[in-house]
């Protein structure tokens, strides 16, 4: 028997035959450009979360030691389902309610989604409770809540809507959400128009991800939060505030780099590249490639967890080598992202661009190979940011790559810094470094779209 609840209706879990963990399932049929994301909030008797850790969603998939766990989205026939598992017996005594809601991913309203339904059932079993709710102009909606009433756990159909999306729903239960900046006062003369944004993902999705990222960093890695915010300022100036890209860090491990690794210069740069990776990349991982005589790809890549010791751990695992082969490293990067490193004469488009930070302290031994690689890579949506550590005069080859003719599109930039710029008494500031890393990338993105290298 399925218990059908309308708005405000409730039923005991035991009465519905649910005596263990339950799975709450949201079902809908996506509309063009509109999708939904399920969330859960663990609240006290006052109806508020104890902290932001009580917010369960796709990027923070569990709370209370796993008592509430986001199971993710999947397809079911022509519909989409998003699920959360709740184990009432495992919830802390001060959690009296689990609020189940969803917000829209993309433009539109919940009224524009068909087949909208919420079901509650046992793990792996059929629905025992179904909540039937009407939707209209809402962009976020609380569908149901699993709550404690004395010794009993019950489920209620709610139907509380919000027209200000996830922020409104989350704020209602006490999750802190960064305020939007206030609109500027009117000026006598309108400022010149900003550069057109080059970001491509839906604003609501990416903005929410960045808010969630900053909340996580505030408690787990405050120093990295500062770098991510500094990177964000540089990106916003260039219309890249909500841009998505894959990020790679290519590191020279030739013997001449030894002093730079010991001094911490490479670690400092790696942390700045990680800040870009956390801003740009959905999975928050920077893919790492090492090159000397050979090319290596350490797994896992550079990520927030363990980032402070990442370079030190690499140098323990990989010995410095006696050669410097740019071309081999570039071939490995191209093969990793585009399937092979062969010479190309036609565009190879993709959905998401790749930003490559390439660090070295000298010229390569395979110049002809590197030249062919950068020319072939110009047919792919990959941008090469070369950075030399040392006097600029010793990087004439990188300057030639930067200015190389015969490419499908200009796909590289180069600048040099001294070791003192990274680790000296007055090092280059983080905002200045991020500005240099973004000098040519925005213009390359526009060219790449114009030339059909990017599909969105």
């Amino acid at each position: 028997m399925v218990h059908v609840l309308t708005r405000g209706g409730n039923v005991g879990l035991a009465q519905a035959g649910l005596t263990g963990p339950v799975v709450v399932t949201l079902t809908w049929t996506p509309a063009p450009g509109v999708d939904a994301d399920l969330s859960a909030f663990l609240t006290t008797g006052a109806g508020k979360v104890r902290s932001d850790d009580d917010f369960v969603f796709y990027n923070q998939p569990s709370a209370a030691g796993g008592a509430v766990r986001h199971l993710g989205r999947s397809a079911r026939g022509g519909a989409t389902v998003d699920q959360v598992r709740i184990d009432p017996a495992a919830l802390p005594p001060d959690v009296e309610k689990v609020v189940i809601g969803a917000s829209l991913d993309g433009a539109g309203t919940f009224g524009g989604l068909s087949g909208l339904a919420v079901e509650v059932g046992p793990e792996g079993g059929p629905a025992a409770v179904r909540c039937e709710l009407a939707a209209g102009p809402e962009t976020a909606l609380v569908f149901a809540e699993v709550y404690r009433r004395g010794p009993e756990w019950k489920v209620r159909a709610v139907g509380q809507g919000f027209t200000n999306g996830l922020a409104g729903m989350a704020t209602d239960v006490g999750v802190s959400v960064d305020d939007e900046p206030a609109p500027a006062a009117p000026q006598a003369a309108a400022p010149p128009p900003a550069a057109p944004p080059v970001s491509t993902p839906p604003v609501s999705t990416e903005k929410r991800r960045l808010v969630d990222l900053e909340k996580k960093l505030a408690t787990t890695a405050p120093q990295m939060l500062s770098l991510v915010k500094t990177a964000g300022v540089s990106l916003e100036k260039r219309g890249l505030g909500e841009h998505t890209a894959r990020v790679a860090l290519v590191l020279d491990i030739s013997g001449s780099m030894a002093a730079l690794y010991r001094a911490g210069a490479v670690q400092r740069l790696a942390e700045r590249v990680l800040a870009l990776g956390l801003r740009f990349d959905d999975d928050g991982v920077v893919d790492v490639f090492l090159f000397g005589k050979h090319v290596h790809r350490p797994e896992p890549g550079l990520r927030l967890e363990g980032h402070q010791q990442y370079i030190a751990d690499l140098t323990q695992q990989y010995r410095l080598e006696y050669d410097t082969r740019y071309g081999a490293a570039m071939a490995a990067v191209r093969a990793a992202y585009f399937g092979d490193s062969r010479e190309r004469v036609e565009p190879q488009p993709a959905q998401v661009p790749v930003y490559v930070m390439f660090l070295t302290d000298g010229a390569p031994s395979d110049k002809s190979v590197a030249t062919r690689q950068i020319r072939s890579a110009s047919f792919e949506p990959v941008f090469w940011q070369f950075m030399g550590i040392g006097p600029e005069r010793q990087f004439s080859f990188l300057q030639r790559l930067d200015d190389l003719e015969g490419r499908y599109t200009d796909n590289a930039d180069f600048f040099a810094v001294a070791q003192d710029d990274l680790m000296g008494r007055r090092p280059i500031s983080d905002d200045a470094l991020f500005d240099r890393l973004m000098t040519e990338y925005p213009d390359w993105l526009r060219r790449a779209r114009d030339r059909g290298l990017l599909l969105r």
Side-chain angles (χ1 to χ4, degrees):
M1 174 182 176
V2 177
H3 294 262
V4 178
L5 304 179
T6 57
R7 184 173 179 173
N10 67 85
V11 65
L13 293 183
Q15 181 184 347
L18 300 171
T19 57
V22 298
V23 173
V24 181
T25 301
L26 173 65
T27 306
W28 72 96
T29 301
V34 186
D35 222 331
D37 287 315
L38 189 66
S39 304
F41 305 91
L42 287 66
T43 70
T44 64
K48 302 295 183 181
V49 297
R50 300 169 300 173
S51 74
D52 288 357
D53 291 340
D54 287 336
F55 176 20
V56 175
F57 59 109
Y58 66 95
N59 206 32
Q60 184 170 284
S62 68
V68 179
R69 184 174 299 277
H70 184 227
L71 301 181
R73 288 198 304 198
S74 60
R76 181 182 292 174
T80 299
V81 300
D82 205 352
Q83 297 179 306
V84 63
R85 176 189 184 274
I86 304 170
D87 186 355
L91 286 167
D94 56 342
V95 172
E96 297 194 9
K97 185 186 301 182
V98 179
V99 178
I100 310 298
S103 55
L104 288 184
D105 178 357
T109 67
F110 273 102
L113 296 179
S114 60
L116 195 62
V118 180
E119 297 176 342
V120 183
E123 289 184 279
V129 179
R130 182 179 177 88
C131 303
E132 295 189 345
L133 304 169
E138 302 90 352
T139 55
L141 194 62
V142 174
F143 292 93
E145 56 189 25
V146 175
Y147 63 103
R148 193 196 311 262
R149 182 68 73 232
E152 182 183 17
W153 283 92
K154 307 183 76 174
V155 59
R156 174 187 291 123
V158 179
Q160 180 184 3
F162 301 84
T163 57
N164 52 347
L166 176 65
M169 182 170 64
T171 302
D172 188 64
V173 293
V175 174
S176 60
V177 177
D178 291 350
D179 291 331
E180 292 289 332
Q187 300 295 320
V198 294
S199 56
T200 57
V203 172
S204 61
T205 302
E206 185 62 12
K207 189 170 185 177
R208 182 167 65 248
R209 183 185 74 82
L210 294 173
V211 169
D212 297 337
L213 170 65
E214 292 192 1
K215 289 178 182 177
K216 178 180 179 181
L217 294 177
T219 57
T220 61
Q223 181 184 12
M224 185 55 65
L225 173 60
S226 176
L227 287 176
V228 168
K229 286 187 173 182
T230 302
V233 171
S234 182
L235 297 174
E236 291 282 357
K237 290 188 296 186
R238 291 162 174 80
L240 294 168
E242 295 170 9
H243 176 62
T244 297
R246 301 184 71 177
V247 180
L249 176 60
V250 183
L251 296 175
D252 186 343
I253 57 168
S254 60
S256 58
M257 289 281 295
L260 296 170
Y261 281 99
R262 287 196 301 269
V266 179
Q267 174 66 32
R268 183 178 190 274
L269 177 66
E271 290 173 357
R272 275 70 189 162
V273 175
L274 176 59
L276 282 179
L278 291 170
R279 286 281 316 197
F280 275 174
D281 207 333
D282 284 338
D283 66 4
V285 178
V286 173
D287 300 315
V288 177
F289 299 80
L290 310 176
F291 72 97
K293 180 180 180 181
H294 307 287
V295 180
H296 314 273
R297 187 177 179 185
E299 293 289 354
L302 175 61
R303 62 185 71 204
L304 184 62
E305 294 76 17
H307 73 275
Q308 301 94 331
Q309 289 295 314
Y310 186 80
I311 297 300
D313 292 343
L314 279 187
T315 56
Q316 290 291 320
Q317 185 177 356
Y318 297 94
R319 294 180 179 274
L320 299 183
E321 300 174 358
Y322 61 83
D323 201 353
T324 307
R325 299 184 178 180
Y326 291 6
M330 296 169 71
V333 172
R334 293 181 58 220
Y337 292 112
F338 305 108
D340 60 60
S341 59
R342 62 184 175 85
E343 293 190 29
R344 295 196 193 281
V345 294
E346 294 181 351
Q348 177 80 7
Q351 295 281 345
V352 179
V354 181
Y355 179 93
V356 178
M357 180 69 207
F358 195 108
L359 178 69
T360 184
D361 72 338
S365 62
D366 60 349
K367 293 181 180 179
S368 62
V369 176
T371 301
R372 290 195 299 271
Q373 286 292 321
I374 197 71
R375 186 172 281 124
S376 292
S378 72
F379 292 93
E380 300 161 347
V382 53
F383 180 81
W384 304 84
Q385 178 61 67
F386 294 104
M387 176 175 167
I389 301 184
E392 187 168 341
R393 63 180 179 274
Q394 74 185 39
F395 298 107
S396 58
F397 178 72
L398 282 179
Q399 191 62 63
R400 288 202 300 273
L401 287 187
D402 187 8
D403 300 331
L404 186 66
E405 295 182 355
R407 288 174 290 171
Y408 184 68
T409 185
D410 182 352
N411 59 342
D413 184 32
F414 161 71
F415 68 92
V417 296
Q419 181 175 336
D420 285 348
D421 290 330
L422 293 178
M423 299 299 295
R425 299 175 72 176
R426 299 184 65 183
I428 183 173
S429 66
D430 292 327
D431 56 347
L433 180 59
F434 285 124
D435 283 349
R436 297 188 76 173
L437 295 177
M438 289 293 113
T439 299
E440 292 193 16
Y441 181 64
D443 287 338
W444 171 83
L445 278 171
R446 295 184 181 96
R447 291 194 302 271
R449 289 196 180 90
D450 291 342
R451 306 222 63 183
L453 294 179
L454 287 171
L455 299 177
R456 62 176 190 176

